[in-house]
Amino acid sequence: MASLLEMKEIFRNADAVCFDVDSTVIREEGIDELAKFCGVGDAVAEMTRRAMGGTVTFKAALTARLGLIRPSYEQVQKLISDNPPQLTPGIRELVSRLHQRGVQVFLVSGGFQSIVEHVAVQLNIPTANIFANRLKFYFNGEYAGFDETQPTAESGGKGKVITHLKEQFHFKKVVMIGDGATDMEACPPADCFIGFGGNVIRKQVKEKAKWYITHFDELLKELEER
């Protein structure tokens, strides 16, 4: 296992950095915001807490939550326009600095493609660098489920994405940054995991992550020291 010093060295020399989105790159949990918007906020927030704590499989939790919300296409679009996701302080500067250094930045999310795309545009991250879940709708716009073939739809999916990125682009050093259990379990194959507690602190992640931060300025400082 890498020491903290070794992890910092990996981060400074990374070819690619993968960020979780909900409660990491943005301040809120997208699925909880969608649930509130659709009138089932409390029930779904409790399910999210259990999923992020790692006590139920991600796919089971996602299926149950979406089964309660049943969002229409129109509701999803209205949520994005009326309540756009709020970027976490410092993320814009950090992503910009990584881009300046020639580092590839990816958004690897258990959230929804349509919301994550909105975030990616603000951070100048290409759509091709998004790995997220896709909602499905009938022709009349009613909820029709989600694409269960996406790797991010299941536990261990973020690790599969990172393995795919390493194989496709021959990255030597990949860093995963996130707040939840699904992010932490992506290392390995990620070479380093950085736990993030700037929006919400998951006890399990804080206790187990060797490198745990609460503000992205901490990572910017690491890059400036080189």
Side-chain angles (χ1 to χ4, degrees):
M1 291 291 283
S3 69
L4 182 56
L5 275 175
E6 289 167 333
M7 290 170 72
K8 290 184 173 184
E9 185 69 15
I10 289 168
F11 174 67
R12 285 195 295 267
N13 293 286
D15 306 297
V17 176
C18 298
F19 288 92
D20 170 50
V21 176
D22 294 332
S23 296
T24 300
V25 168
I26 62 174
R27 304 192 69 133
E28 52 282 284
E29 284 287 324
I31 195 163
D32 289 350
E33 294 305 303
L34 186 58
K36 277 188 233 166
F37 197 75
C38 296
V40 288
D42 290 346
V44 169
E46 178 53 36
M47 287 182 178
T48 298
R49 275 194 292 275
R50 290 207 301 271
M52 294 307 289
T55 54
V56 294
T57 69
F58 186 81
K59 186 179 274 189
L62 185 61
T63 303
R65 288 180 291 178
L66 284 172
L68 263 179
I69 304 168
R70 302 195 65 78
S72 68
Y73 177 81
E74 186 183 358
Q75 283 173 317
V76 174
Q77 296 308 310
K78 192 160 171 48
L79 170 70
I80 295 167
S81 63
D82 290 5
N83 301 296
Q86 301 299 305
L87 292 178
T88 299
I91 188 62
R92 201 189 293 271
E93 295 80 2
L94 178 58
V95 170
S96 176
R97 188 77 185 95
L98 289 168
H99 281 156
Q100 287 168 15
R101 293 164 66 94
V103 179
Q104 288 262 20
V105 178
F106 295 87
L107 299 178
V108 184
S109 173
F112 306 121
Q113 181 84 15
S114 50
I115 295 174
V116 177
E117 282 178 2
H118 182 86
V119 174
V121 167
Q122 296 179 72
L123 297 172
N124 296 313
I125 295 171
T127 307
N129 288 21
I130 296 173
F131 293 85
N133 289 316
R134 295 173 183 270
L135 294 169
K136 297 198 289 192
F137 303 98
Y138 293 111
F139 287 116
N140 65 359
E142 287 182 6
Y143 174 67
F146 63 96
D147 182 355
E148 298 192 22
T149 67
Q150 294 295 322
T152 49
E154 57 188 320
S155 300
K158 292 183 180 182
K160 287 179 184 171
V161 169
I162 290 170
T163 296
H164 162 74
L165 292 176
K166 284 188 161 187
E167 289 170 355
Q168 183 176 357
F169 297 107
H170 308 292
F171 293 139
K172 297 284 189 290
K173 300 289 179 194
V174 179
V175 174
M176 181 74 211
I177 301 173
D179 67 293
T182 59
D183 307 308
M184 188 163 60
E185 70 183 14
C187 180
D191 300 280
C192 166
F193 168 68
I194 303 171
F196 183 72
N199 293 309
V200 61
I201 292 175
R202 317 275 180 201
K203 185 167 176 281
Q204 177 193 12
V205 176
K206 186 177 182 184
E207 288 174 355
K208 291 187 179 176
K210 278 196 176 178
W211 191 359
Y212 195 80
I213 63 168
T214 54
H215 201 288
F216 288 124
D217 280 356
E218 296 171 62
L219 297 184
L220 268 173
K221 282 179 191 149
E222 285 299 326
L223 297 179
E224 301 309 327
E225 281 178 15
R226 189 175 171 188

